[in-house]
């Protein structure tokens, strides 16, 4: 039983996800509150190279061919062995397609408490989680003996989880990864979009508030006038009104443009987490209580349908004149 | 193919959410409960699998206020069996389940689902009131089945299932999962279909909801909440007011300052 | 003594001509009747039963008004005069021939002045006919309006009837040319033509021979016309009056039919010909292909797939193609909906009722569309936006997806607070409606309405959170089950209140509350006694103005035009009350060309406001301008000299026209105001 704080690193096809660094930063803050070392847990096959910039005291590297790509069964089995052996104070997972798949299973299997959707830790080590679309926060003591925590981004900057000094790496053997019930058949690339919105400096984003497919044209007109690109939140992509390559959100792209103009977007956490690194977020939403206004720099309650034509006209005038 | 769908009802975020007097839980009295939208997708995916490959679809739901209509609607879409988990009558089931965490729900439902001997269990990948992890993977471990979440496509072949798992950026991983298994549905292959009210009413006359008594709920594994509160934003946007023309003018100057115009 | 001569100039060599005439006519009539029966039987043998023979006196009145006097056809001047000339001429010729038959076989009435009068009348109507025929030829071959079907079948009918009348004229003139009677001028036209024959110096024998030839030709052409009537374009002569006779009693379509049930108590959804009623099948055969419905249809004008004329003809064509086979009772009927009639066609309808109003043979397009929509709904075939709206109606009782508790949020600043009709008795229960309650852009107008009511001193209250969407549009979308659910909720809420009258500011709610609510309640299936007393606010204000209770202190002096809402005007006949109010506020009313019954729908009805708009296209027959119905209407208003205010009396109109003023760039030329705003300003 140790006071260490484990962080389960998430990586996909040779890239470490930002959430891993956010968690390392969170773990750092947590350790300030309750003590203990930040230990990064890296699972993979021939993946030591990924650990170069983790802000951790140590990296436990579990190597096995079955861990080369994430599969829930293999990762859960490997982690179960590690956690029951090491008995850390806390294990941080991402609340993602990787972390959320295994944390709950480990909770039941090992009989350990689980807190999900955690955004940050208080000075005394209390967890602060968000539920109900970010409208409600729940706070509590970090449960004992080993708290499994899944984390959402937004509470810490990824940079805070990075370090110039590569941490010490300990390679561990993994056993018991036979008779796996989940295997990866193949990856399917996303449809090659004409644009990579993650690289665009100006994004015009539409959400449910755009109401109808035909109204997307208004956003296109504005984008064209300004030289920007149209993207959308999940409801718009699910309807098929925009290609999946234009999805901004937890399952879509994380973007960091100079200006993000959010029209008719409420700002639910899954979307908000993908745009917080934008330079300037401008939100247009008739609901003054929309959570988007909490992350936007500028906002207006004017109906987007009243605003868009004058805006296009003035943009054109500004460019032409 | 024996498919079971586990459905949760969650607070409708359209209503205003308030904290109850204890300061550590949601005020239930003003809550409207609606089907977890991801569970709705799970139902749709189950029906699609039944339409393609035959089989039986059973819906299992704990007893919440308004759950009957949810079950009948699923039957109207094509579900074959409806099972409602009723809790301790003296406490008032509806209250009991809406306050229960996913560990408790998973344990209670696992007992019922085991009996059904499903090949595949579908449930929504998450719900808006999850505080102790989603229901799906918790249930899977209680059942001793593998779990894959964030699924947006399912194909069945003998003994196993190929599930399309979503990663950020639109990347998909095709996972092969041995049955029986639990899948956490992110999106069904087509949006949940519309069922006319009259169809649901007709089904109410013919379909029956089986009731199973749940054992006392065991919530261990979930966190203890010290306090719940509505977040105060540390920052709030600078609001621009005025006529559309005035607002448009201000936006243009913001664009210029930001260097995009 | 002038008198009629039987079979003048026809030789009796091979027996009495009567034998040939009557045998031929009898055969022709028999063939006509048999052929007509073969078509007509399909209506009741394929279609569903429906009671349409109640209140005979009203129906006979309809026949007189629409089949004899032809008032609907006369609503357009050129084709009206054209058709009336032709039709009345033939009525007179028929009478004339009937008199001749009586004269020949029963009683010699055509003697002396009666005879001469008959000659004069027949000749006059010959002229009348040729005027009509001339107009028809010009219209069909020179003018060629887009709404007509310019096919050979119609040309054939026109040629035949011209030849028939020509035959009559020629035989008469040839006889007069031979007889040269003293009373010849009593057949002025015949005599003028006779002079031509006389001028040819042909002998009497020659003229008589010509007469015989023309007479035989005339007889044969009549026979040919009769024999082809049931399968040609003259069928409307029979089916038109039949359709008018059997038309819905409560026209216009304020009330839809309930969902029918089969023998086993299962609901019938209209997906095949068998699911339509015999009357709906008759509608198909009564269509004259005049296309007035097409011209009036806003959906068609916007380039949507809907063409009401083609829809009805589609039913007709399907019956012609499949009808005979379907006489075998158990044969599975082929799908009509989705196959011959596409989903998009049915979803494009705004249910404005202009087609129903324009139709000269009283076809009921809207009912058929709603019946078929009920099938689409049960099958879940609709676009995602409509599905979302219906789910919102089901869950929240409004299309905005907002909580019921937000319904009365607009009342917050009103002082004194508006009475809660659930808690205390009121004289007027104000049924506010969804758009007025939830739409942020309309809140001001709703508050203004409350202020006006308060200023006038009305004792009124609202249902607050207990109000739900009245369901008018939900019903017209075809979601009958959801409609019934909304009706249940509203009637339960209403039943707990004490009020004298219901007043509403929303014409859609008005229509269903007034015409349909009693029908769906268990209590009043048969009686109209418990019909809800519903007023539109314009009716109420009009009453108060006329009784002197409401006086205006200012004269506004604005030059305005008024748009009749479909569900207030066409559906419920409330045209004058709003206009009187406008006058009373001291405004000058300038009518748009399409006003009153002819008002052009804003395009929001029938659930269209919740559907994906689709690409606005210009079809070959529609106007070449790509625009929404609301935009077309705004252009119509802007064309009026000096008019700067567009007055509406419906929240959906308000929403649609405000948008249209912007999208057509007319913001500086035209303001859209609700009538209540004028009232408020003039108080």
């Amino acid at each position: 039983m140790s006071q260490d704080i484990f962080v389960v690193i998430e990586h996909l096809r040779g890239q470490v996800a930002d959430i891993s660094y956010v968690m390392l930063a969170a773990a750092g803050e947590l350790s300030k509150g309750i003590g203990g070392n930040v230990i990064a847990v890296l699972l993979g096959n021939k993946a030591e190279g990924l650990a170069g910039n983790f802000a951790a005291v140590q990296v436990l590297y579990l190597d096995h061919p079955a861990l080369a790509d994430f599969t829930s069964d293999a990762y859960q089995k490997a982690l179960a062995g590690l956690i029951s052996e090491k008995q850390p104070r806390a294990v941080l997972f991402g609340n993602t397609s990787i972390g959320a798949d295994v944390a709950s299973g480990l909770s039941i299997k090992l009989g350990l408490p689980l807190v999900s959707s955690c955004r940050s830790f208080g000075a005394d080590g209390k967890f602060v989680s968000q539920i109900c679309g970010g409208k409600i926060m729940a706070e509590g003591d970090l449960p004992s003996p080993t708290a499994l925590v899944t984390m959402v981004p937004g509470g810490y900057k990824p940079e805070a989880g990075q370090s110039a000094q590569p941490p010490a790496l300990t390679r561990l053997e993994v056993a018991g990864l036979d008779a796996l019930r989940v295997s990866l058949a193949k990856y399917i690339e996303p449809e090659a979009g004409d644009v990579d919105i993650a690289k665009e400096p100006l994004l015009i984003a539409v959400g449910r508030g755009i109401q109808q497919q035909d109204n997307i044209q208004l956003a296109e007109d504005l984008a064209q006038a300004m030289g920007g690109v149209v993207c959308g939140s999940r409801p718009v992509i699910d309807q098929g009104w925009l290609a999946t390559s234009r999805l901004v959100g937890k399952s879509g792209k994380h973007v960091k443009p100079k200006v993000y103009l959010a029209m008719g977007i409420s700002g639910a956490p899954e979307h908000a987490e993908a745009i917080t690194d934008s330079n300037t977020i401008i939100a247009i939403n008739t609901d003054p209580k929309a959570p988007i206004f909490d992350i936007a720099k500028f906002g207006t309650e004017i109906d987007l349908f009243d605003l868009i034509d004058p805006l296009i006209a003035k943009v054109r005038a500004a460019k032409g004149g | 193919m024996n498919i079971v769908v586990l459905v949760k009802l969650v607070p409708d975020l359209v209503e205003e959410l308030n904290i109850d007097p204890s300061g550590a839980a949601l005020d239930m009295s003003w809550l409207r409960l609606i089907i977890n939208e991801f569970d709705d997708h799970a139902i749709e995916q189950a029906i699609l699998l039944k339409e393609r490959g035959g089989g039986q679809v059973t819906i299992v739901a704990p007893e919440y206020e308004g759950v009957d209509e949810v079950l009948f609607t699923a039957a109207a879409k094509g579900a074959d069996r409806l099972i409602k988990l009723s809790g301790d009558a003296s406490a008032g089931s509806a209250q009991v389940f809406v306050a229960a965490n996913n560990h408790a729900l998973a344990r209670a439902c696992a007992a019922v689902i085991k009996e059904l001997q499903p090949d595949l269990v579908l449930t929504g990948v998450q719900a808006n009131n999850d505080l102790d992890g989603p229901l799906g993977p918790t249930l899977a471990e209680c059942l001793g089945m593998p779990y894959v979440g964030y699924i947006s496509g399912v194909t069945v072949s003998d003994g196993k299932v190929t599930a399309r798992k979503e990663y950020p950026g639109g990347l998909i991983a095709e996972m092969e999962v041995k049955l029986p298994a639990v899948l956490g549905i992110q999106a069904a292959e087509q949006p949940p279909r519309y069922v006319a009210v009259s169809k649901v009413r007709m089904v109410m006359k013919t379909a029956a909801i089986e009731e199973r008594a749940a054992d006392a709920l065991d919530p261990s594994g979930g966190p203890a909440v010290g306090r719940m509160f509505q977040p105060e934003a540390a920052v709030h946007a600078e609001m621009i007011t005025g006529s559309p023309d005035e607002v448009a003018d201000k936006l243009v100057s913001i664009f210029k300052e930001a260097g995009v115009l | 003594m002038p008198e009629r001569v039987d079979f003048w100039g026809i030789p009796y060599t091979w027996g009495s001509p009567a034998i040939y005439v009557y045998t031929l006519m009898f055969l022709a009539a028999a063939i006509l009747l048999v052929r007509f029966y073969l078509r007509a039987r399909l209506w009741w043998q394929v279609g569903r039963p429906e009671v349409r023979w109640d209140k005979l006196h009203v129906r006979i009145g309809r026949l007189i008004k629409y089949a004899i006097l032809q008032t609907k056809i006369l609503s357009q001047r050129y084709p009206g005069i054209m058709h009336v000339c032709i039709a009345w001429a033939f009525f007179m010729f028929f009478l004339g021939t009937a008199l001749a038959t009586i004269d020949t076989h029963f009683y010699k009435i055509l003697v002396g002045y009666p005879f001469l009068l008959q000659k004069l009348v027949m000749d006059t109507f010959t002229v009348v006919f040729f005027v009509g025929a001339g107009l028809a030829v010009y219209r069909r071959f020179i003018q060629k309006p887009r709404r007509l079907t310019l096919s050979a079948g119609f040309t054939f009918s026109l040629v035949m009837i011209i030849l028939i009348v020509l035959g009559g004229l020629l035989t008469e003139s040839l006889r007069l040319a031979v007889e040269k009677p003293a009373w010849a001028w009593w057949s002025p036209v015949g005599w003028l033509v006779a002079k031509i024959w006389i001028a040819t110096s042909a002998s009497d024998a020659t003229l008589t021979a010509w007469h015989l030839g023309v007479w035989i030709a005339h007889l044969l052409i009549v026979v040919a016309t009769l024999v082809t009537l049931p399968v040609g374009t003259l069928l409307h002569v029979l089916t038109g009056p039949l359709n008018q006779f059997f038309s819905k009693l409560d026209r216009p379509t304020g009330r839809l039919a309930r969902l029918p049930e089969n023998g086993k108590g299962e609901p019938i959804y209209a997906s095949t010909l068998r699911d339509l009623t015999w009357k709906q099948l008759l509608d198909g055969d009564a269509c004259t292909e005049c296309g007035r419905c097409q011209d009036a249809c806003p959906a068609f004008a916007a380039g949507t797939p809907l063409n009401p004329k083609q829809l009805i003809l589609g039913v007709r064509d399907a019956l012609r193609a499949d009808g005979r086979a379907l006489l075998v009772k158990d044969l599975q009927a082929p799908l009509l909906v989705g196959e011959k009639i596409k989903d998009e066609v049915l979803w494009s309808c705004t249910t404005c009722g202009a087609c129903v109003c324009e139709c000269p043979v009283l076809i009921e397009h809207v009912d058929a569309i709603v019946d078929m929509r009920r099938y689409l709904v049960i099958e879940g075939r609709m676009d995602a936006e409509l599905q979302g709206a219906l789910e919102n109606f089901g869950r929240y009782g409004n299309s905005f997806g907002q909580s019921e508790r937000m319904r009365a949020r607009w009342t917050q600043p009103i002082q004194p607070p508006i009475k809660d009709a659930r808690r205390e008795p009121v004289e007027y229960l104000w049924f506010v409606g969804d758009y007025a309650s939830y739409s942020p852009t309309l809140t001001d107008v709703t508050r203004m309405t409350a202020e006006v009511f308060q200023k006038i001193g009305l004792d009124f209250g609202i249902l607050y959170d207990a109000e739900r969407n009245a369901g008018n549009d939900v019903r017209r979308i075809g979601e009958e089950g959801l409609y019934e659910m909304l009706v249940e909720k509203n009637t339960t809420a209403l039943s707990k209140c004490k009020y004298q009258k219901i007043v509403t500011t929303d014409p859609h709610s008005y229509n269903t509350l007034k015409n349909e609510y009693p029908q769906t309640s268990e209590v009043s299936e048969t009686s109209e006694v418990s019909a809800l007393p519903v007023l539109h606010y314009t009716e109420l204000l009009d009453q108060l103005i006329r009784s002197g209770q409401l006086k205006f202190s200012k004269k506004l002096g604005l030059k305005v035009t008024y748009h009749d809402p479909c569900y207030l005007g066409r559906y419920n006949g409330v045209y004058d009350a709003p206009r009187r109010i406008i006058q009373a506020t001291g405004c000058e009313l300038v009518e748009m060309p399409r006003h009153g019954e002819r008002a052009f729908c804003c395009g929001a009805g029938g659930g269209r406001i919740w559907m994906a708009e689709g690409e606005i296209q210009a079809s070959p027959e529609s106007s070449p301008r790509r625009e929404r119905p609301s935009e077309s209407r705004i252009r119509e208003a802007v064309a009026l000299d000096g008019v700067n205010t567009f007055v509406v009396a419906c929240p959906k109109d308000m929403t649609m026209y405000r948008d249209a003023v912007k999208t057509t760039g007319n913001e500086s030329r035209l303001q859209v105001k609700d009538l209540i705003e004028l009232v408020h300003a003039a108080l």
Side-chain angles (χ1 to χ4, degrees), chain B residues 12 15 32 192 194 196-197, chain C residues 387 396 403-405 479 488:
Chain B
D12 187 351
E15 303 289 351
R32 181 211 306 267
Y194 184 76
V197 169
Chain C
Q387 178 169 336
Y396 304 109
S403 169
E404 301 94 341
R405 279 177 234 139
E479 233 290 28
E488 265 171 49

Side-chain angles (χ1 to χ4, degrees), chain B residues 12-16 18 29-35 40 69 77 191-202 205, chain C residues 259 266-267 269 377-380 382 387 390-391 394-396 401-406 479-485 488:
Chain B
D12 187 351
L13 301 184
V14 154
E15 303 289 351
E16 271 181 36
N18 298 308
S29 50
W30 283 113
L31 282 184
R32 181 211 306 267
L33 293 176
I34 56 170
I35 187 174
D40 206 12
E69 196 178 319
K77 292 184 184 180
R193 64 196 64 188
Y194 184 76
V195 185
V197 169
S198 44
K199 220 175 184 184
V200 177
R201 286 187 168 182
M202 258 192 342
K205 296 182 198 152
Chain C
L259 198 55
E266 294 160 356
Y269 296 103
V377 165
I378 214 69
E379 294 290 305
M382 63 186 77
Q387 178 169 336
L390 289 177
E391 284 167 355
R395 188 178 279 168
Y396 304 109
Q402 292 185 37
S403 169
E404 301 94 341
R405 279 177 234 139
M406 296 289 119
E479 233 290 28
E480 193 70 4
L482 178 56
Y483 171 69
E484 283 173 6
M485 192 178 93
E488 265 171 49

Side-chain angles (χ1 to χ4, degrees), chain A residues 183-207:
Chain A
S183 61
L184 173 70
K186 63 174 189 267
Y187 286 111
I188 300 175
E189 295 295 330
E191 37 189 83
D194 40 347
V195 267
D196 182 1
I197 52 175
K199 300 203 169 89
E200 290 288 323
L202 170 60
L203 290 174
I204 317 286
V206 292

